[in-house]
Amino acid sequence: MSISQVKKYKDLIRTQHCHYHFEYLEQSWNLPYSFLTAEGILLVMFLFPEFFCLLSFLALASLAIPIANDKLERNEKRSPQNVYPQGASDAVVLDIPTATAVPPPGASGGLYGDESLLGYDGNPVSGSAVVEDYELVPGQSADPVEGLELDFTEVKRPQPIRGTSGKSGATDHGPDTSRYDRDNSDVFASPGTDTGGVDQFQWPMGLSHNRLGLDRSGWARQQNAANLPAATEMAGVDMRLSPNAYRELHWHSAGEWGYVFNGSIRVALVNEAGQSYIDDINAGDIWYFPPGVPHSIQAFEQGAEFLLVFDDGFFSEDSTSLVTEMFLRNPRSVIAKDLQTDISNLDNIPKDQLYIFPGTPPPKDISEQNTTGPAGTTSQPNQQYTFHWSQQEPLTIPNAGTLKIVDPTTFPAAADISAALVTLQPGAMRELHWHPHSDEWNFFLTGRARITIFAAPASSQTFDYGPGDVGYIPMVFSHYIENIGDDEVVFLEMLKAPRFEDISAGQWLGLTPRQVVKDTLNLPDEVLDNLPKYKPYLISGPTNLTDTNYTKPF
């Protein structure tokens, strides 16, 4: 037997099941199979240990060759064979093709190089990646761990540099991505405190596919887990309706929370009890439609744009159940029977879904459309599907901004959605905090902001946000939201929770025994004296973002 054969047999023996070995011993040595049970083997091991060792050696030696040969024969039978065209030979098929495409008339040069280009060619190195005459903005030479905001908006070619030592970066020769870098300075030139691996938590609606309505009646674009995979709990849709346009009669598998950006709309629904509901809402107002409850949305004469937030990150606006599709996907006879009408009355139903389409002006008097049945209209607080949030006065924090909250404690119909509308003055920030019971979904309406997301045990990343951007922060990940521009930042802070709750980092430290905080963080007494016992929510700051003295009033 050759060495190569021994190796093959040895490898194959290692892969064989013991039961296969026992069957072979039974057939080859005429041993009763019961003798080869676990009990029989143990008996032999204890009574005749030397015999057992010899028996094992002989068994392995005798079964190696037939088992291996059998295995090889079966492998050869299963080995796939090359299939060639009829009449072709192996030599023809294995030849390396030499034919190339014919270039168009007038073309010069060639598509491929020749063998002389392979490997070392002895030529001296050439070319340069040096960037000269680049511009640094205020704060870019500071210590990277200070993480000062960098304003690249007026810089032709921003450079990913922070400080001169540590994680300080280097110049960027190209390709030129400055159209993104100007809006994402904390991603391009990240603070020195950013480290480790953090998921992508920012998505601009401007990169979402915009689905257009019929005859300039509107459009819709969405964010969900398909384009922001980390956002598993909530998804959003930015929708525009032209004057008098409709969002077609429909229903969803997820709950729908809506916020009107501008304009006004009329919403109507019928719940599972057969009760009807209708209301007119304006900019700043909200609504909630439970899963499976059919509804309609129509803009008034000035049109409207609004945000839809769904309590399922995998929700897709394209999977909405539309009334037109329901009519088109059922036999006409069934639809006619269901409506108790002659089938000819269905001749003019739409040939395709309408989705967003032009409509006739709604009557000013809402009572003209207030259709009720035997069950009447909704009357219980948890059946009031709109909330006139625009009329709620916010909490105002001097020099910092405003904050107002709506959750099921005041809007019971929205059983699992809580929201805050936050306004930040330039230089101000939403305090460092986290949410103990829910992920956070953000939508930015105005201004420029940044968020650093800390993911335990030792990772963080800073993201930049502007109007139309979606932010997402997983449950218990600490974060802040800081205004880094010259204008107010306005954003929605959404939770999938029955109550709006957060943990304030400052209040936590302020209410923890002073000795514990001091021994842990080595903070001086002046800092410990200033730790808040209350929840700050919003904190004012200098409009000059390179100013790091935060003890003076702003």
Side-chain angles (χ1 to χ4, degrees), residues 9 33 66 90 134-135 161 170-172 198 210 248 290 313 319 331 338 364 419 424-425 437 443 490 513 531 543:
Y9 296 153
Y33 186 77
D90 286 1
Y134 57 86
E135 178 183 356
I161 293 174
T171 55
D172 178 19
V198 174
N210 210 0
E248 182 188 335
S319 298
D338 193 73
K364 295 291 186 181
L424 294 175
Q425 298 297 323
H437 305 301
F443 189 87
V490 180
L531 290 173
T543 55

Side-chain angles (χ1 to χ4, degrees), residues 141-207:
S141 297
D143 188 333
V145 299
E146 292 185 14
L148 300 178
E149 174 57 25
L150 307 178
D151 186 358
F152 289 152
T153 54
E154 303 299 325
V155 179
K156 183 178 180 180
R157 281 296 303 271
Q159 298 298 323
I161 293 174
R162 277 189 184 268
T164 57
S165 61
K167 295 193 296 184
S168 53
T171 55
D172 178 19
H173 189 276
D176 184 1
T177 58
S178 57
R179 67 190 189 279
Y180 299 112
D181 305 333
R182 294 188 190 96
D183 291 335
N184 298 278
S185 60
D186 290 292
V187 175
F188 185 55
S190 60
T193 48
D194 281 10
T195 186
V198 174
D199 289 342
Q200 178 66 25
F201 290 125
Q202 185 248 32
W203 178 261
M205 277 287 190
L207 291 181

Side-chain angles (χ1 to χ4, degrees), residues 264-412:
S264 53
I265 59 176
R266 177 168 290 169
V267 296
L269 65 80
V270 176
N271 65 18
E272 57 269 39
Q275 298 170 312
S276 58
Y277 183 88
I278 189 168
D279 194 14
D280 296 337
I281 54 179
N282 301 308
D285 293 338
I286 62 176
W287 74 87
Y288 181 81
F289 299 143
V293 172
H295 52 276
S296 66
I297 305 173
Q298 184 179 18
F300 282 93
E301 66 272 11
Q302 297 301 315
E305 185 173 351
F306 45 85
L307 176 71
L308 307 176
V309 181
F310 294 90
D311 57 6
D312 179 3
F314 297 92
F315 169 85
S316 173
E317 175 70 4
D318 299 329
S319 298
T320 297
S321 299
L322 304 173
V323 68
T324 51
E325 289 289 352
M326 182 178 68
F327 269 54
L328 291 168
R329 306 309 161 199
N330 281 286
R332 288 277 183 95
S333 60
V334 171
I335 298 295
K337 181 185 292 186
D338 193 73
L339 300 179
Q340 293 291 280
T341 187
D342 188 84
I343 197 170
S344 63
N345 290 327
L346 303 177
D347 291 344
N348 293 323
I349 65 172
K351 302 299 187 291
D352 198 358
Q353 61 177 250
L354 299 177
Y355 187 61
I356 295 175
F357 65 102
T360 54
K364 295 291 186 181
D365 186 356
I366 195 172
S367 64
E368 295 182 28
Q369 292 189 328
N370 192 8
T371 305
T372 59
T377 59
T378 59
S379 57
Q380 300 300 316
N382 64 350
Q383 296 175 329
Q384 303 304 303
Y385 298 104
T386 56
F387 187 84
H388 295 271
W389 205 18
S390 63
Q391 301 176 29
Q392 176 184 329
E393 290 297 323
L395 173 70
T396 299
I397 299 175
N399 303 314
T402 64
L403 171 75
K404 63 180 180 180
I405 291 172
V406 61
D407 61 26
T409 62
T410 53
F411 186 27

Side-chain angles (χ1 to χ4, degrees), residues 225-291:
N227 45 36
L228 190 58
T232 58
E233 294 296 315
M234 287 167 278
V237 175
D238 177 14
M239 184 172 289
R240 159 75 168 155
L241 295 181
S242 298
N244 305 317
Y246 287 105
R247 171 68 171 96
E248 182 188 335
L249 285 163
H250 65 283
W251 68 96
H252 304 290
S253 60
E256 172 186 310
W257 187 97
Y259 176 85
V260 183
F261 291 144
N262 46 60
S264 53
I265 59 176
R266 177 168 290 169
V267 296
L269 65 80
V270 176
N271 65 18
E272 57 269 39
Q275 298 170 312
S276 58
Y277 183 88
I278 189 168
D279 194 14
D280 296 337
I281 54 179
N282 301 308
D285 293 338
I286 62 176
W287 74 87
Y288 181 81
F289 299 143

